[in-house]
Amino acid sequence: MRPPLHRPDPLNHACFHCPPSPAAHAAPAPRGAFLAALCLAAWLGGGASAHALEGAPQLHLPRTELRAGMYRIDAQVAQSFGERQTGLMHRRQMPAHEGMLFVFEQPGRQCFWMKNTLLPLTAAFVADDGTIVNLADMQPQSEQSHCSAKPVRYVLEMNQGWFAQKKIGAGARLTGAPFVSR
C-alpha cells in the first residue's frame, strides 16, 4: 500500500503514503528522466523497493509480538524507507493474527493509501506509548489517503475488521517491545 515517492505536504506533515500531486505526472525531459531514475535507484538502494517494482510481496521482514489486551499480534516490522514504501503491496492473503507495523523515525502526520494492495486493511495510527489514536478502514487498490488524527510514529495494518471484531478502538493500548523503550 505504498506510493512511489515520499512527498511532504505543505503543512510539513510526513505524508509518506499520499498519492503524488498532478504535477508529478508531467513528463520530464528524456535526459532528466534517466537521471531521476538513476538517482532514485541509488537512493533506494534496491532491497525492499525491488519487491514493489517486481510485483512480489515482502514476506521476510523482521517480526515482533504485540498485544492488544488479550489478543496476540504477530507483526512484520517495516522500518526502512523501502520497506515502508512496499508495505503489504501484492499480498493476496494474511493470517488473521498477523499484521505489519510501520515504524517512522519521528512522530508525524502519517497518511496511507492502498495502491497495489490487494487486501482490505484497517490502519491503526499509534502513539509512542502504544495508544491507538485513530483507525481507518482502507479499500484495496484505492488511492484515497487515510491519515493519522495527530502526529504518530507507528502505524499497524491488520486485516479489515480485526479491530472491530475484537472491540478495539481509539484509546486502546497496544503493548510490545516497540512501545516499551519510548
Side-chain angles (χ1 to χ4, degrees), residues 1-7 15-21 40 44 49 52-53 81-82 84-87 89 102 111-117 142-143 145:
M1 95 167 243
R2 309 303 140 238
L5 297 173
H6 173 75
R7 180 177 60 87
C15 197
F16 181 77
H17 299 286
C18 293
S21 68
L40 180 61
L44 291 175
S49 61
L53 297 175
F81 177 83
R84 291 189 307 255
Q85 184 181 34
T86 302
M89 281 183 171
F102 296 80
C111 293
F112 281 58
W113 65 331
M114 297 284 286
K115 185 170 183 168
N116 296 325
T117 305
S142 171
E143 292 188 18
S145 291

Side-chain angles (χ1 to χ4, degrees), residues 82-162:
E83 292 166 350
R84 291 189 307 255
Q85 184 181 34
T86 302
L88 291 169
M89 281 183 171
H90 311 294
R91 179 99 43 109
R92 295 194 181 279
Q93 59 186 357
M94 184 168 64
H97 70 284
E98 288 188 14
M100 184 170 284
L101 182 67
F102 296 80
V103 181
F104 295 86
E105 291 79 19
Q106 58 188 359
R109 183 169 182 248
Q110 309 301 340
C111 293
F112 281 58
W113 65 331
M114 297 284 286
K115 185 170 183 168
N116 296 325
T117 305
L118 309 174
L119 302 171
L121 300 171
T122 300
F125 297 94
V126 184
D128 280 357
D129 67 355
T131 302
I132 297 174
V133 172
N134 63 298
L135 297 166
D137 285 340
M138 304 180 296
Q139 299 307 312
Q141 304 285 357
S142 171
E143 292 188 18
Q144 178 183 358
S145 291
H146 302 274
C147 301
S148 58
K150 66 180 191 179
V152 298
R153 182 184 318 266
Y154 303 100
V155 180
L156 175 63
E157 290 182 341
M158 298 291 289
N159 285 310
Q160 192 172 99
W162 188 90

